[in-house]
Every structure is written in C-alpha cells, then in structure tokens.
Amino acid sequence: MSNRMWGGRFATGPDAIMEEINASIDFDQRLWRQDIRGSLAHAAMLGETGILTREDVTAIRDGLKSVEGEIEAGSFTFSRALEDIHMNVESRLKDLIGPAAGRLHTARSRNDQVATDMRLWVRDTLDQLDGQVADLQLALAEKAETYAGAVMPGFTHLQSAQPVTFGHHMLAYVEMLARDRSRLRDARERLNECPLGAAALAGTSFPIDRHMTAQVLGFARPTANSLDSVSDRDFVLETLSAASICAMHLSRLAEEIVLWATPQFGFVKLSDKFSTGSSIMPQKRNPDAAELVRGKTGRVFGALQALLTMMKGLPLTYSKDMQEDKEGTFDAVQTLSLCLAAMAGMVRDMAPDLKVMKKAAGMGYAIATDLADWLVRVLKMPFRDAHHVTGRLVGIASAKGVGLEKLSLAEMQAVEPKITDAVFAVLGVEQSVKSRVSYGGTAPANVKRQAKRWLKQLAKERQ
Ligand code: ARG
C-alpha cells in the first residue's frame, strides 16, 4: 500500500511502530471542534478573496458541517493511519464532497493549522478555568462572610502566632485565586492572535486575508511573523504556569483542610460527601478529596516542566517534537478543573467548629503581642522593651502552666511596676482580633466588609 496521505513521494506505508510513534489522533481528536471552526474560517476567507470559487466554498462548508455532525453524534471513525485530527477531518471531507476537499488546504499547512487549533482550545479552556476559579472564590467568600468573626489561631512556622478569624483565612485564598484569574486572563489576552495563514513557515503566495480569518475566529489580530507563528507555544506554557500556580494554591488549602480535619486539630468537619471511611478502622473519616487535590498538583507542574524541556532545544520553526505539547496540557487542565470542582464542593460543605478553634486560638501565648502593644500604647514603652517584658511574663506564665490572663497583677508588677489592671482588658482572643483594624487586618468588621465586597463583585461578574 502506498501512503494514504502523501502517496506521491512515498512508495510504501509506514512501519507499524512508525505509525504508533507518529500518530496523534488518539489524543488530538479532542481538538475537533476547533479544527473544524478553523477550517470554516479559512474556507470562508478563501472564498471572499476569490482564491476558491463560491461553489467550492459552499461544498466545503456543507461538508465540514456534516463531519462536525458525525463527530458530535459519535458515528465518526478516527483512523490512526490518518495521523491526526487535521487529516482525519480532511479525509472524511473528501469522502463526502470529492475533489473540492483538496482545495481547502490551499494557503495553509498543518503547522499553522495546529497552532490555530491549539490556541482556540487553550482560549476556551482559560475561560472555563476562570469561571471555575470564580466559583471557588464565591464558596470561600460566602464562608468568610458567615465566619467573619470566628476566632481561630493564626500561624507562622505552623506555631501559634496571633489570633485571626476563620473568615480572614478564607479571604486569603480568595485573594490568591484573584491573582490566578488575573494570570489566566493575562495569558488569554496575549494568546489572542491568529497564526492561520502563516502556512508551513514562510507565509504564502496566495492573496489571503489574514485579518479576516483572525476576525472570524475571534482573535484580536493575526500574528506578525510567520516563523514565530508556527513555532510558538508560549501560550501553552503561560497557561500551564498559571495553572501550576493555581494548583499550588489549591494544594496549600488542601493541606490545611487535611490538618484541620484531624481529631488533634478538630477545626473543621468535612461532610460525608467529601470524606471516605476506612475498610479496617471504623472510626475513620478520611479527607481523601483534599489529599487528592494536594497529590494531583505534581501532574500539573509536570506538564509545565515537560513542555519547557521539550521546547528548549528546538530550532525555528515547527518540529514534530511540538506534537508533545498536547497530552500533558490536556491532562493538566482536566486535573486542575477537577481539583477546582472538588475544592469548591469541600469548602461549601465544610463546617468549622467554633468552640475548638477559639480554644486553640488562645493556646501558645498567642495574645503576647497584644500585651506588648498595650505596654507600648499605655506605658509609652519602646516596642523592644515591651517585647522583653512580655517575654519574661510569658516565661513566668509558662512555668506555672497558665495563660497570660491568669497571672495576677502583683505577678505582672513584679516584672514591670507600671502595669495596671487595665491590661486585662486586652488579654483575650476576641479583643485581640477586634483590635486588628488596620487595612487588611483580621478585625471582624474588616473581614465582613471585605467578604461583602467580594460577594458583590463576584455576583456582578455573573450577570
Ligand atoms: N499532529 C501535528 C501536531 O500536533 C500536527 C502538525 C503536523 N505538522 C507536520 N508538519 N507534520 O503537531
């Protein structure tokens, strides 16, 4: 059998192993919508510019719509011998409309075609991910509003640092996700140029209208350099970078949920819907969804690393190596999408235990800074001296095994005679968080305001 696609130059078909290493149809078939959309735009432009006759364009358009219908209905047979989605679609078009199908590839190459398909796919993906991240933000902001005043321990070095509120903690993630969305939008903005018409690498001698194709496909403009057009995968790298950072954020939240859900912390209870039991230990409720969100992060990072590595040694312009941009990207995007959905579900169902969190908030002398601040504010001590006095009081309390608020005034005055019993007013976790009114601070009123601001903004976006 001579080669089905380029029989002219080839006397025999490929070795079976060649077909196996070469064919991408098993994974790039998911680009079918984008491929047909790109072909429709290209054909329309070829008609508009008089490169193809109206009759040919009509036949091509109707044929492509039929192919689209077949794929949609699941009746299309993808063939490995036809390598990839581009050849599979074109070959079927030829079955359906005959020789006119062969004119569709005028002034086009698979190099600009695949670059266009991939950009269209990534663009859709970025929009979808953005919507999912927004939904997670919404789940977090709703929790933040409800628990704006719920005191919990704030940590640095995973050691009790200062009391904060659960709402404040939730809003920290809303901010992180806002940056993720900004990165996704930014990637979208930069990718939104159309490579179609760059042809194999050098452009074409036909009088094409690249501005028209770009416009039909919703791109802001055509790409400016034909060599760059077919050899650029920055838009995939940027998407995977943004996805990696987002996955890292989800992983941190997942790790916190895993910790919080332990009986030792006991800060939150996960719903039955997002927990699993153990086959041997009847008491167990395992946070498997959170663990998997944390665990799947590596796949997303891996796709980014693989693509960077694949691209780094490629001379201009297209090399077949670049076909390897797809599987990792598809997997990374699907993984992130699943993790976003799981995280939104977990957050919505998660019930914080306010008593446990409040008790934990007072542990580890978390209000020591409040005492030091009081010494500065009321006794006008330099902060460094106040820090020293407080440190000594913490030492005394710790030796007695009690909290700072349990020391007597006399015990305090033995360290610093000017202390009055007014100091006791600041020695509590509620007072502590209420006092943190600085912009961005954890005071419940602040948190409430910020949560409402986010809820309003997210609702506005949804309209
Ligand atoms: N399947 C190929 C890819 O994904 C399409 C482009 C092939 N171009 C070529 N000159 N062989 O990269």
Side-chain angles (χ1 to χ4, degrees), residues 24 28 84 86 110-111 114 318 320 323 326:
S24 54
D28 71 12
D84 56 27
H86 325 295
R110 280 190 295 161
N111 296 349
V114 74
Y318 178 86
K320 195 61 174 262
Q323 178 165 287
K326 295 179 191 61

Side-chain angles (χ1 to χ4, degrees), residues 263 276-278 280-286:
T276 55
S278 154
I280 174 170
M281 297 165 282
Q283 85 285 8
K284 292 268 274 186
R285 287 174 65 83
N286 293 328

Side-chain angles (χ1 to χ4, degrees), residues 7 14 33 48-49 59 67 109 121 125 138 176 186 192 218 231 300 309 348 358 362 396 416 441 459-460:
R33 274 184 204 286
E48 211 56 48
T49 48
V67 176
S109 145
W121 187 87
T125 294
L138 182 63
M176 289 145 87
D186 192 44
N192 205 25
S231 72
V300 183
T309 309
R348 286 207 164 88
K358 188 172 169 186
I396 292 167
E416 171 47 61
K460 205 169 89 193

Side-chain angles (χ1 to χ4, degrees), residues 364-379:
Y365 300 96
I367 53 171
T369 315
D370 298 276
L371 173 55
D373 287 351
W374 185 88
L375 296 171
V376 170
R377 208 169 38 244
V378 179
L379 303 187

Side-chain angles (χ1 to χ4, degrees), residues 10-227:
F10 286 74
T12 64
D15 189 273
I17 290 296
M18 177 56 195
E19 187 169 293
E20 174 136 10
I21 194 172
N22 196 34
S24 54
I25 190 61
D26 292 348
F27 48 87
D28 71 12
Q29 55 179 269
R30 86 170 64 198
L31 295 175
W32 66 272
R33 274 184 204 286
Q34 290 75 19
D35 195 69
I36 289 173
R37 199 173 158 204
S39 288
L40 285 168
H42 184 66
M45 181 279 290
L46 292 176
E48 211 56 48
T49 48
I51 299 167
L52 292 194
T53 64
R54 290 280 156 208
E55 299 74 63
D56 280 344
V57 173
T58 305
I60 289 170
R61 194 194 51 222
D62 294 350
L64 285 169
K65 296 261 182 209
S66 303
V67 176
E68 188 171 35
E70 290 176 13
I71 301 179
E72 205 147 44
S75 60
F76 189 96
T77 320
F78 291 102
S79 153
R80 265 199 180 180
L82 292 166
E83 275 196 21
D84 56 27
I85 184 64
H86 325 295
M87 303 302 274
N88 269 269
V89 169
E90 192 183 313
S91 164
R92 182 64 187 142
L93 185 66
K94 189 160 182 235
D95 296 343
L96 294 172
I97 69 166
R103 299 191 200 281
L104 172 60
H105 216 52
T106 312
R108 182 178 82 168
S109 145
R110 280 190 295 161
N111 296 349
D112 57 339
Q113 196 180 354
V114 74
T116 305
D117 291 6
M118 202 60 183
R119 279 188 196 240
L120 289 171
W121 187 87
V122 170
R123 194 175 68 184
D124 290 347
T125 294
L126 289 168
D127 292 342
Q128 184 220 316
L129 288 175
D130 183 65
Q132 283 196 275
V133 181
D135 183 55
L136 177 55
Q137 280 187 304
L138 182 63
L140 289 159
E142 281 164 359
K143 276 277 177 297
E145 197 197 19
T146 310
Y147 298 106
V151 182
M152 73 177 286
F155 300 95
T156 59
H157 313 262
L158 198 55
Q159 304 283 326
S160 293
Q162 292 171 352
V164 297
T165 79
F166 189 70
H168 199 48
H169 202 114
M170 295 293 101
L171 287 182
Y173 282 98
V174 174
E175 295 290 334
M176 289 145 87
L177 295 171
R179 293 193 295 275
D180 289 331
R181 294 183 64 194
S182 155
R183 273 182 281 272
L184 294 172
R185 278 196 297 269
D186 192 44
R188 186 194 202 284
E189 171 87 19
R190 219 174 351 266
L191 80 64
N192 205 25
E193 295 185 344
C194 185
L196 201 57
L201 76 165
T204 174
S205 57
F206 292 97
I208 58 172
D209 183 350
R210 291 193 58 207
H211 292 272
M212 178 188 163
T213 339
Q215 204 213 333
V216 171
L217 294 173
F219 288 109
R221 64 193 80 83
T223 49
N225 180 299
S226 63
L227 303 177

Side-chain angles (χ1 to χ4, degrees), residues 118 133 157 268 273 310 317 353 385 387 403 430 439 462:
M118 202 60 183
V133 181
H157 313 262
V268 300
K273 284 195 261 174
M310 185 272 278
T317 58
D353 187 327
D385 298 346
H387 185 284
E430 299 277 359
Y439 184 80
R462 287 196 160 195

